[in-house]
């Protein structure tokens, strides 16, 4: 997902426009009002009949009360920027899915909504929780910053929570020494350029049962080296083990480790549009709740 630091950019924009407005309110507005008052005293009792005199008065008042360009722009943009800042920092933030690591749950080009308060209200930019609300649960689809790319948004599924023992071998998941059940759903064709296509294999889509709740997961009939390897991880306190639903084509905690609590962005809860390419037609066929 995008590596552009939008929270920092938006925060700076709100601070700058708000500061300009405040400086104008405290220091510039009063002299401006005094100039307007002085002009008004120079044109006492203007009658509408004196068009030339009235026109001169209007011009003089306009010049005396004219705001600096920076103040004018700040007053125009600050309310909009503040509303956007508040919404995306504390309520809901939109994202677009750029890769296939979460197929079949999320497709490339899906536009999703992320709940920013599901795991607690966080200080913008610093991302520190100041009002705890809840903790990630197994099976949640979560947006976060991975440890190897701390400025890039990633989206994966929460597989392991603090204290869990996670084992993955031959495309089978084990949690705390118990095999996680997989129920066959269908066969599927692999996406272009994927490991499975390169080996001319088909995909198997299954319902994987995390804490009794099913979610779609797909695996190649011949596991990739990452999925075939038998490895075990212990999830430390304050961290989460993340995996993509496209198990043979997902760089995740199996590669770069667990995700810390202060790297969490929010919980994905809905797909509201699909638009894969600029010249393509947006679609709403995939709209729905993220499961």
């Amino acid at each position: 997902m995008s590596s552009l630091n939008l929270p920092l950019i938006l925060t700076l924009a709100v601070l700058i426009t708000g500061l300009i407005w405040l400086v104008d309110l405290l220091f510039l507005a009063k002299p401006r009002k005094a100039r307007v008052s002085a002009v008004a005293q120079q044109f006492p009792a203007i009658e509408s009949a004196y068009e030339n005199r009235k026109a001169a008065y209007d011009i003089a008042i306009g010049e005396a009360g004219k705001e600096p360009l920076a103040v004018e722009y700040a007053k125009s943009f600050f309310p909009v920027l503040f509303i956007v800042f508040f919404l995306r920092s504390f309520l809901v933030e939109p994202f677009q899915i750029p890769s296939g690591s979460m197929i079949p749950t999320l497709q490339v080009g899906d536009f999703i909504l992320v709940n920013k308060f599901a795991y607690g209200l966080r200080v913008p930019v610093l991302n520190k929780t100041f009002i705890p609300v809840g903790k990630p649960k197994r099976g949640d689809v979560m947006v976060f910053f991975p440890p190897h790319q701390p400025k890039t948004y990633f989206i994966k599924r929460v597989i392991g929570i603090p204290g869990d023992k996670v084992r993955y071998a031959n495309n089978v998941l084990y949690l705390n020494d118990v095999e996680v059940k997989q129920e066959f759903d269908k066969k599927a064709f692999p996406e272009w350029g994927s490991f499975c296509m390169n080996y001319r294999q088909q995909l198997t889509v299954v319902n994987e049962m995390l804490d009794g709740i099913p979610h779609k997961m797909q695996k190649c009939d011949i596991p990739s080296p990452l999925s075939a390897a038998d490895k075990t991880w212990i999830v430390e306190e304050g961290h989460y083990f993340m995996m993509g639903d496209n198990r043979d084509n997902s760089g995740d905690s199996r590669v770069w480790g667990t995700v810390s609590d202060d790297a969490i962005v929010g919980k994905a809860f809905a797909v509201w549009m699909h638009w894969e390419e600029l010249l393509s037609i947006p679609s709403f066929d995939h709209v729905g709740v993220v499961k």
Side-chain angles (χ1 to χ4, degrees):
M1 298 174 79
S2 172
S3 59
L4 189 65
N5 197 335
L6 290 176
L8 178 60
I9 294 171
L10 186 56
T11 300
L12 289 175
V14 170
L15 289 176
I16 291 170
T17 54
L19 183 61
I20 292 172
W21 195 345
L22 182 62
V23 168
D24 178 69
L25 184 64
L26 295 178
F27 303 107
L28 305 179
K30 189 174 180 179
R32 196 162 57 242
K33 290 178 181 178
R35 291 195 298 269
V36 171
S37 179
V39 169
Q41 291 177 7
Q42 295 175 16
F43 291 84
I46 294 179
E47 300 293 338
S48 60
Y50 300 100
E51 293 296 335
N52 291 338
R53 188 174 174 84
K54 187 174 186 300
Y57 170 79
D58 290 340
I59 292 173
I61 285 290
E63 288 296 321
K66 188 175 181 181
E67 297 175 335
L69 191 60
V71 173
E72 185 178 342
Y73 279 131
K75 287 186 175 181
S76 298
F77 288 119
F78 176 77
V80 176
L81 289 171
F82 181 79
I83 291 172
V84 173
F85 169 81
F86 180 82
L87 289 175
R88 74 176 302 282
S89 296
F90 304 115
L91 298 179
V92 176
E93 184 173 2
F95 289 95
Q96 184 184 17
I97 303 300
S99 71
S101 69
M102 282 298 290
I103 296 173
T105 303
L106 297 172
Q107 306 293 324
V108 177
D110 279 352
F111 282 77
I112 64 170
L113 295 175
V114 173
N115 183 332
K116 298 300 289 287
F117 61 86
Y119 306 133
L121 297 182
R122 297 169 182 264
V123 179
V125 181
L126 300 177
N127 211 39
K128 300 295 184 181
T129 302
F130 65 93
I131 299 180
V133 176
K135 292 290 186 180
K137 299 180 180 63
R138 297 187 196 95
D140 286 358
V141 177
M142 190 168 79
V143 175
F144 58 93
F145 298 107
H148 71 303
Q149 288 181 269
K151 295 183 179 180
T152 303
Y153 293 102
F154 269 47
I155 183 167
K156 308 287 181 185
R157 190 177 298 276
V158 178
I159 298 297
I161 60 177
D164 277 348
K165 178 182 179 182
V166 179
R167 178 187 169 204
Y168 203 73
N170 201 31
N171 261 327
V172 178
L173 173 65
Y174 301 84
L175 278 175
N176 302 315
D177 297 321
V178 177
E179 180 179 339
V180 176
K181 292 183 179 180
Q182 298 177 356
E183 297 177 352
F184 176 82
D185 182 72
K186 63 181 179 180
K187 288 288 187 179
F189 291 103
E191 62 271 21
W192 181 260
S194 66
F195 167 87
C196 207
M197 170 169 273
N198 293 339
Y199 280 81
R200 299 181 180 179
Q201 298 293 313
Q202 275 193 303
L203 291 166
T204 298
V205 179
V206 301
N207 290 304
E208 190 174 62
M209 308 293 290
L210 277 177
D211 289 347
I213 300 174
H215 70 270
K216 300 292 183 187
M217 181 272 275
Q218 69 179 29
K219 56 184 182 178
C220 187
D221 290 347
I222 294 182
S224 68
L226 179 63
S227 296
D230 188 339
K231 291 188 176 181
T232 300
W233 303 263
I234 302 297
V235 185
E236 60 269 43
E237 188 63 34
H239 287 71
Y240 299 89
F241 195 91
M242 312 299 299
M243 292 177 68
D245 290 345
N246 192 358
R247 292 291 164 80
D248 294 293
N249 290 280
S250 173
D252 47 40
S253 287
R254 293 173 292 174
V255 178
W256 34 253
T258 55
V259 174
S260 64
D261 184 76
D262 60 5
I264 293 173
V265 175
K267 178 183 178 181
F269 68 93
V271 177
W272 61 276
M273 184 177 73
H274 179 86
W275 192 9
E276 190 166 344
E277 297 177 354
L278 183 62
L279 299 179
S280 64
I281 299 174
S283 167
F284 298 93
D285 295 339
H286 196 219
V287 170
V289 176
V290 175
K291 297 180 180 179

